[in-house]
């Protein structure tokens, strides 16, 4: 029966359907859709901003103006517009400033952080509800003073308060511009009275973020790294704020994630990475407490950056702390002053104060006055740190060269150098030091004595000698001295080969200046500065800020 139905009834039904369709004469009113074309009106835009029909480059906080020409296959005025900014890649979230306007001409201030985005305009035919789109590549760039350059913190007591100038140069090879009062320009006021430090931290390059902050008596202030707009103050930085604030150091290994902050000789830290950034704010935890009173110097390295070599200035000994596990290393030793490492395991004669060159991490017995890496920080290496020590009477100065590590056998038989005042003039009162990273160890370091920069040639026992490397006019006060260390993932050719010096030459009528002094392959200082910048007020600090994401 089913087979008969299939063979007889179904063909008849199909024939009836075909006949009905054939009789349908198609009495429908078809019309072509209104097609809209969108192009950029290049005759009425700034060609320095709207580069071509598809590309735009705009400075952060500038006003962006884009005019478009809309044509359609059917005359109509019933159109609506919407301008939007979206992510440039699928794995990046849409920016907060998402919708920009709903007029044919876009005119709006771009407050987005510097990055690459997509700008789109949607034109909708309201008669049909059909929309058409045009996309632009939108590169939001920094203001000239918001990118790479040296931040110069000036005191300015007669000009309303401290502020920063920005020198837009990296190493002095190219003459940069100087932009004054960059903080006040954005915030309408100067920095708090007594601001003594400007600090820059470079987080992991792919995150495209930096931290710029200022320290002043009893507090601190963080700002945007691209336009210096106020961001936060010290009372919001901690999960549980300390009772008082005296910020001494704030840093991390370039590109790392363990950021530390030393306040009142106590260290707290936080982790800044792609995961923690998804749940802001990222706050500092409680300080790491123990038998120690920490000096404001932290020795660490890329790759194993959670291992912090620290110095206890009260008990005058080193300790090693793992931030990842929140434990002392070795973990099997109790927190007992002068016993954080195994007892000294080197040859006993190496500790002889005059004939030996070794040292015991548990018993340095001197005050740490300065520490800086003397070799590049890189994964898989054990870079040396130059550590300058003095005795309590400040009449004897020593250099200890400590090879950084994640565990110490405490058996050093070399690395201690006595810096005699006879061979190294002014070394016992020097407070400003700088260490290059390109020389063969034990290498050289620089220090300030009066209006001179001395070069110390490190040699065994008490044979190190220093000579004048550069002399400023009589009466000059050398305020600051730093070796150029860029923080870039790929270091430039000038890395560590430029000495940047801030001076007070008012005694000789020269005012306040910033010098860029080139260093030779052997560490000597070029007699002719690469650049000299003038016109500053009294300089409290200088620091290099690299370009974001590099």
């Amino acid at each position: 029966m089913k087979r008969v139905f299939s063979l007889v009834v179904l063909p008849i039904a199909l024939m009836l359907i075909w006949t009905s369709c054939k009789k349908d004469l198609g009495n429908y009113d078809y019309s072509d859709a209104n097609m809209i074309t969108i192009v950029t009106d290049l005759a009425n835009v700034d060609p320095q901003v709207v580069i071509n029909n598809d590309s735009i480059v705009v400075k952060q906080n500038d006003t962006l103006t884009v005019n478009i020409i809309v044509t359609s296959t059917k005359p109509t005025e019933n159109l609506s517009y919407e301008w939007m900014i979206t992510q440039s890649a699928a794995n990046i979230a849409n920016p907060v400033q998402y919708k920009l306007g709903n007029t044919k001409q876009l005119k709006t201030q771009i407050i987005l952080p510097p990055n690459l985005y997509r700008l789109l305009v949607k034109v909708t035919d309201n008669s049909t509800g059909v929309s058409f789109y045009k996309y632009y590549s939108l590169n939001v760039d920094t203001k000239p003073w918001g990118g790479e350059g040296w931040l110069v913190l000036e005191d300015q007591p007669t000009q309303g308060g401290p502020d920063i100038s920005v020198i837009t140069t990296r190493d002095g090879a190219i003459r940069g511009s100087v932009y004054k009062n960059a903080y006040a320009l954005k915030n309408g006021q100067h920095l708090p009275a007594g601001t003594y430090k400007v600090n820059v931290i470079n987080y992991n390059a792919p995150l495209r973020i930096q931290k710029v902050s200022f320290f002043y008596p009893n507090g601190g202030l963080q700002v945007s790294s691209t336009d210096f707009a106020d961001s936060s103050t010290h009372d919001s930085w901690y999960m549980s704020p300390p009772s008082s604030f005296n910020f001494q150091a704030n840093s991390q290994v370039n590109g790392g994630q363990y950021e530390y902050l030393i306040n009142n000789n106590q260290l707290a830290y936080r982790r800044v990475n792609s995961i923690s950034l998804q749940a802001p704010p990222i706050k500092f935890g409680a300080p790491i407490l123990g038998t120690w009173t920490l000096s404001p110097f932290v020795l660490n390295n890329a790759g194993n950056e959670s291992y912090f070599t620290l110095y206890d200035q009260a008990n005058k000994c080193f300790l090693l702390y793992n931030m990842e596990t929140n434990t002392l290393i070795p973990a099997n030793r109790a927190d007992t002053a002068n016993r954080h490492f195994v007892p000294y395991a080197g040859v006993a004669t190496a500790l002889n104060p005059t004939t030996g060159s070794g040292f015991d991490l548990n018993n340095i017995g001197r005050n740490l006055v300065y520490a800086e890496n003397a070799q590049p920080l890189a994964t898989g290496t054990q870079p040396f740190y130059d550590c300058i020590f003095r005795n309590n009477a400040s009449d004897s100065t020593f250099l200890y060269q400590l090879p950084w590590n994640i565990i110490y056998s405490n058996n050093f038989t070399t690395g201690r150098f006595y810096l005699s005042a006879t061979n190294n003039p002014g070394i016992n009162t020097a407070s400003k030091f700088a260490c290059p990273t390109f020389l063969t160890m034990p290498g050289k370091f620089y220090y300030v004595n009066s209006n001179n920069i001395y070069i110390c040639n490190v040699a065994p026992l008490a044979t190190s000698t220093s000579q004048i490397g550069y002399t400023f006019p009589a009466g000059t006060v050398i305020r600051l001295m730093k070796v150029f260390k860029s923080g870039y993932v790929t270091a430039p050719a000038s890395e560590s080969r430029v000495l940047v010096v801030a001076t007070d030459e008012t005694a000789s009528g020269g005012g306040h200046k910033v010098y860029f002094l080139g260093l030779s392959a052997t560490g000597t200082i070029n007699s002719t500065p690469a650049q000299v910048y003038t016109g500053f007020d009294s300089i409290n600090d200088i620091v290099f800020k690299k370009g974001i994401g590099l």
Side-chain angles (χ1 to χ4, degrees):
M1 183 66 184
K2 292 181 180 180
R3 180 174 179 79
V4 172
F5 181 84
S6 300
L7 295 175
V8 177
V9 177
L10 287 180
I12 295 173
L14 291 172
M15 183 172 291
L16 290 173
I17 293 171
W18 178 81
T19 303
S20 298
C21 293
K22 185 176 181 182
K23 291 179 179 180
D24 187 344
L25 299 179
N27 295 320
Y28 301 102
D29 186 16
Y30 291 107
S31 61
D32 293 332
N34 184 22
M35 302 300 294
I36 293 176
T37 303
I38 310 165
V39 296
T40 307
D41 184 1
L42 294 174
N44 293 292
V45 293
D46 183 350
Q48 300 299 315
V49 176
V50 183
I51 308 302
N52 55 43
N53 186 54
D54 305 304
S55 298
I56 296 172
V57 178
V58 63
K59 299 290 186 183
Q60 184 189 32
N61 294 315
D62 277 0
T63 296
L64 173 63
T65 301
V66 182
N67 293 295
I68 56 173
I69 299 173
V70 177
T71 57
S72 58
T73 55
K74 291 186 177 182
T76 180
E77 297 294 330
N78 191 19
L79 301 175
S80 60
Y81 303 88
E82 186 172 19
W83 293 85
M84 294 169 281
I85 292 180
T86 66
Q87 74 272 39
S88 59
N91 62 340
I92 303 175
N94 280 322
V96 175
Q97 187 187 12
Y98 181 61
K99 294 185 178 181
L100 301 180
N102 55 10
T103 58
K104 184 176 180 180
Q105 181 196 61
L106 175 66
K107 189 172 185 178
T108 186
Q109 184 183 25
I110 300 298
I111 60 175
L112 294 166
N115 210 331
L116 186 62
Y117 303 92
R118 282 211 309 176
L119 171 68
L120 69 91
V121 56
K122 180 174 75 170
V123 180
T124 301
D125 184 345
N126 295 323
S127 301
T128 63
V130 178
S131 298
F132 299 82
Y133 299 84
K134 174 166 179 53
Y135 295 89
Y136 296 88
S137 172
L138 175 64
N139 185 359
V140 179
D141 200 358
T142 63
K143 290 283 191 181
W145 55 86
E148 177 186 80
W150 284 85
L151 309 186
V152 182
L153 176 61
E154 301 175 67
D155 198 31
Q156 301 189 158
T158 63
Q159 300 181 44
D163 216 303
I164 55 169
S165 291
V166 181
I167 306 174
T168 57
T169 188
R170 171 186 295 180
D171 49 22
I174 297 175
R175 181 74 182 180
S177 299
V178 178
Y179 295 93
K180 301 282 288 183
N181 293 319
Y183 175 82
L185 183 67
K186 180 62 182 177
N187 297 285
Q189 62 185 7
H190 293 288
L191 289 161
T195 299
Y196 56 87
K197 183 173 180 59
V198 55
N199 202 68
V200 174
I201 294 179
N202 300 308
Y203 299 113
N204 195 11
L207 297 178
R208 296 186 62 83
I209 56 173
Q210 286 175 313
K211 177 182 176 182
V212 176
S213 57
F214 300 93
F215 298 159
Y216 49 85
N218 303 311
L221 171 68
Q222 183 176 340
V223 299
S224 163
S225 67
T226 54
D227 62 2
F228 308 111
D230 283 340
S231 175
S232 65
T233 53
H234 59 275
D235 50 352
S236 66
W237 294 352
Y238 290 86
M239 296 179 65
S240 178
S243 58
S244 63
F245 298 92
N246 174 30
F247 295 122
Q248 298 158 289
N250 178 208
S251 188
Q252 69 169 43
V253 170
N254 283 316
Q257 60 175 321
Y258 288 90
E259 177 189 349
Y260 62 84
L261 179 59
I262 297 181
N263 174 56
N264 286 319
N265 304 109
Q266 295 180 346
L267 183 147
Y269 76 96
R270 64 177 185 170
R271 295 179 69 175
V272 181
N273 53 41
S274 59
I275 297 175
S276 63
L277 285 170
Q278 296 176 14
I282 310 170
K283 298 196 174 189
F284 289 96
I288 299 170
L289 302 178
T291 58
W292 50 80
T293 301
L294 297 178
S295 74
F297 302 101
V298 174
L299 285 57
N300 57 356
N301 188 28
N304 291 298
E305 45 132 355
S306 64
Y307 289 83
F308 284 24
T309 299
L310 308 167
Y311 191 73
D312 178 356
Q313 63 183 20
N315 298 295
K316 297 178 174 52
C317 61
F318 281 101
L319 59 128
L320 177 61
Y321 200 91
N322 186 350
M323 301 297 163
E324 181 84 33
T325 59
N326 283 310
T327 58
L328 286 164
I329 303 297
N332 61 351
R333 297 189 65 82
D335 176 20
T336 304
N338 305 110
R339 295 184 178 181
H340 290 123
F341 300 99
V342 297
Y344 182 71
V347 179
T349 54
L351 298 181
N352 185 285
T354 55
T355 61
S357 300
F359 55 93
D360 179 359
L361 294 173
N362 289 324
N363 293 285
I364 298 297
R366 298 182 172 97
N367 301 309
L368 179 62
V369 297
Y370 188 75
E372 184 182 359
N373 63 301
Q375 290 183 312
L377 304 182
T379 300
T381 64
Q382 293 177 250
F384 277 92
Y385 273 80
D386 278 357
C387 303
I388 307 293
F389 287 94
R390 283 203 188 103
N391 62 354
N392 288 335
S394 295
D395 58 9
S396 297
T397 303
F398 299 81
L399 169 67
Y400 287 54
Q401 292 189 328
L402 175 65
W404 178 92
N405 210 335
I406 62 173
I407 190 168
Y408 296 105
S409 300
N410 197 21
N411 59 355
F412 297 105
T413 57
T414 61
R416 173 168 54 91
F417 308 87
Y418 174 56
L419 306 175
S420 73
T422 302
N423 295 337
N424 305 276
I427 192 65
N428 289 335
T429 56
S431 60
K432 297 174 181 66
F433 304 87
C435 304
T437 60
F438 64 90
L439 298 172
T440 302
M441 300 304 292
K444 297 178 171 70
F445 68 88
Y446 310 99
Y447 70 93
V448 171
N449 178 28
S450 184
N451 61 321
N452 301 305
I453 297 176
Y454 277 78
I455 305 172
C456 179
N457 302 280
V458 183
L461 299 174
T463 62
S464 297
T465 58
S466 296
Q467 66 279 340
I468 295 175
Y470 196 90
T471 298
F472 296 93
T476 295
V477 177
I478 301 175
R479 302 277 295 170
L480 297 133
M481 176 178 64
K482 293 187 177 182
V483 167
F484 168 56
K485 296 178 180 178
S486 68
Y488 283 112
V489 175
T490 301
S494 57
E495 181 80 6
S496 185
R497 293 178 181 265
V498 178
L499 200 59
V500 184
V501 184
T503 64
D504 176 354
E505 300 178 28
T506 54
S508 60
H512 303 272
K513 301 180 180 180
V514 175
Y515 290 76
F516 287 75
L517 304 172
L519 302 177
S520 73
T522 59
T524 59
I525 303 172
N526 294 345
S527 59
T528 301
Q531 301 289 346
V532 181
Y533 295 86
T534 61
F536 300 100
D537 205 303
S538 179
I539 299 173
N540 289 341
D541 199 12
I542 54 173
V543 67
F544 179 72
K545 186 171 82 71
K546 75 181 185 73
I548 291 178
L550 301 173

